[in-house]
Amino acid sequence: MMTLTLEGITLNLALGLGPLLDDGRVAFKHEAWINEEKTDGVYAVICDDVLVYIGSYQSGLVRRWLYTRKGDLYHFKKPLVVSGLRSGQNIRVYSKSVASIKQELGCADNVWVNASGIEARLIQKLNPPWNSLGKKKQPL
């Protein structure tokens, strides 16, 4: 299984995105295990081996990203994915459930560790470009 480690958290490959189809849909390949996941978690989007986005989900990664019946992406970052695919980038999504993150970090009983908190901390530390788009910098 392909993995990605960010700040001590090992995420597992969940989705491969692309190619872009003639009708504008984004083809995808997903790992079988994500169909079963219905919990909250955190994910990272990698374009050509560069971290570009960090997000969280509440009811499973499939519900956050895919129109499985339509065979297309649902995610609001789809225009950036389409642009990347048009330019020939290899785009992958890695994810991990909050319960697994808590276990990995040794804080399984810490009720303050949740998907939003983990997402915010990773964004703050790593500053992925897609997370910054459209946001104004706060004056010091």
Side-chain angles (χ1 to χ4, degrees):
M1 177 180 291
M2 290 181 60
T3 61
L4 170 72
T5 302
L6 300 175
E7 298 297 313
I9 300 170
T10 304
L11 300 123
N12 297 311
L13 179 64
L15 298 171
L17 303 178
L20 185 61
L21 303 176
D22 291 338
D23 61 1
R25 290 179 299 131
V26 174
F28 57 84
K29 180 180 181 204
H30 60 80
E31 300 298 316
W33 63 267
I34 70 168
N35 285 334
E36 306 302 318
E37 188 182 58
K38 307 289 188 222
T39 62
D40 55 340
V42 175
Y43 63 89
V45 180
I46 306 296
C47 292
D48 285 345
D49 299 321
V50 175
L51 174 69
V52 294
Y53 187 74
I54 294 171
S56 62
Y57 53 90
Q58 305 308 313
S59 301
L61 188 68
V62 168
R63 290 191 72 185
R64 181 73 178 107
W65 270 86
L66 306 175
Y67 281 128
T68 51
R69 282 181 261 150
K70 294 182 180 182
D72 196 9
L73 295 187
Y74 167 76
H75 200 276
F76 73 101
K77 294 293 183 179
K78 180 180 175 179
L80 293 170
V81 170
V82 168
S83 177
L85 292 173
R86 280 195 179 125
S87 67
Q89 291 179 321
N90 181 13
I91 302 176
R92 295 178 312 278
V93 179
Y94 293 80
S95 73
K96 191 164 199 166
S97 72
V98 169
S100 295
I101 291 170
K102 286 180 177 184
Q103 185 175 26
E104 182 176 21
L105 296 178
C107 53
D109 295 328
N110 185 345
V111 297
W112 300 110
V113 178
N114 59 38
S116 297
I118 296 166
E119 173 191 22
R121 180 163 174 85
L122 289 174
I123 290 169
Q124 180 184 24
K125 299 269 289 177
L126 302 171
N127 195 27
W130 291 6
N131 288 96
S132 310
L133 292 175
K135 293 182 182 176
K136 291 185 178 181
K137 299 268 184 200
Q138 296 296 323
L140 296 175

